Amino acid sequence: MSHDACPHPARIPGYHHDGSLNWRPELLDERLFWVVHLYPGAQGEGERWLFGPDRTWDDYVRFQRRVWDRAELPAFAVPLANGHCLYVVYGIDDGDAGVVYLLHHPGWEEADVIAVSAGNGMVPGLSWPELVAAVDNGPPGAEHSDPHTRLLLLLPAWADDSVPQGAVRRLAAALSARVGVESPEPLAAAILGRQGESGPVHWTTTGTGVRTNDGRYSFRNPGTSSALTGDSLARVSAALAP
């Protein structure tokens, strides 16, 4: 599949921000990028395993500035099945750094923001089955087709109180392959136990197939003031269906 199925626009329809998008796939080959990306979900018990003996706090801060301190927003595109695309955009909102996850399809007028990780966090946007489906069901030949890369890139948008036994092993494999941590299984267990800013949330599915959760600030909790509209909740569920 060509990149036309998951284009790299200067601006994503419906996503309003200062500055233009800067598509930075090369960052995904830098181990310190993953330390920055995963740190919010590894704070506390997981920090020592994420940093390891060869990465200091000063290394983290210097690389973080490389990611954040520029007018163009670092962005990544993750192609999904049936022409859908998940965009992962780093940005600053009201002075707070955050990673925004947007779902889009060429037939939609605007993208739906499904999660904002870090800063003023609005998570989760993905259940565990949806996360695994997004990781495993990318179009053949698509960019970021490596499942380890896709899993780590999308992980901060996830929280789910129902995680299968094999989840630690799967995340540990990705941490070993992409981050090169020396103790991947303890780190994976710590990240999965903490589950980012929201902690574990419960997901339910309506009779019409719409998946929602009870996260206090989630866009996919219809009880919150910032929830997606009913139509958007339905199309997001359909696009991310396992």
Side-chain angles (χ1 to χ4, degrees), residues 42-63:
Q43 291 182 53
E45 183 182 0
E47 288 183 41
R48 61 191 176 102
W49 292 306
L50 180 62
F51 280 88
D54 298 327
R55 302 182 187 94
T56 68
W57 181 256
D58 288 341
D59 294 331
Y60 168 85
V61 171
R62 282 193 294 269
F63 195 89

Side-chain angles (χ1 to χ4, degrees), residues 138-208:
E143 61 184 318
H144 309 325
S145 58
D146 170 41
H148 297 319
T149 298
R150 292 166 74 96
L151 177 59
L152 297 184
L153 197 55
L154 300 179
L155 188 67
W158 156 84
D160 193 332
D161 65 3
S162 179
V163 178
Q165 290 184 344
V168 169
R169 185 171 61 253
R170 173 150 198 178
L171 178 55
L175 292 168
S176 178
R178 303 302 294 155
V179 193
V181 296
E182 294 183 350
S183 302
E185 291 208 1
L187 176 57
I191 291 174
L192 292 175
R194 188 174 186 274
Q195 297 203 22
E197 297 104 318
S198 69
V201 303
H202 183 66
W203 290 83
T204 58
T205 305
T206 69
T208 57

Side-chain angles (χ1 to χ4, degrees), residues 66-78:
R66 281 183 55 194
V67 174
W68 293 110
D69 292 351
R70 49 192 305 154
E72 302 89 359
L73 306 181
F76 310 92
V78 181

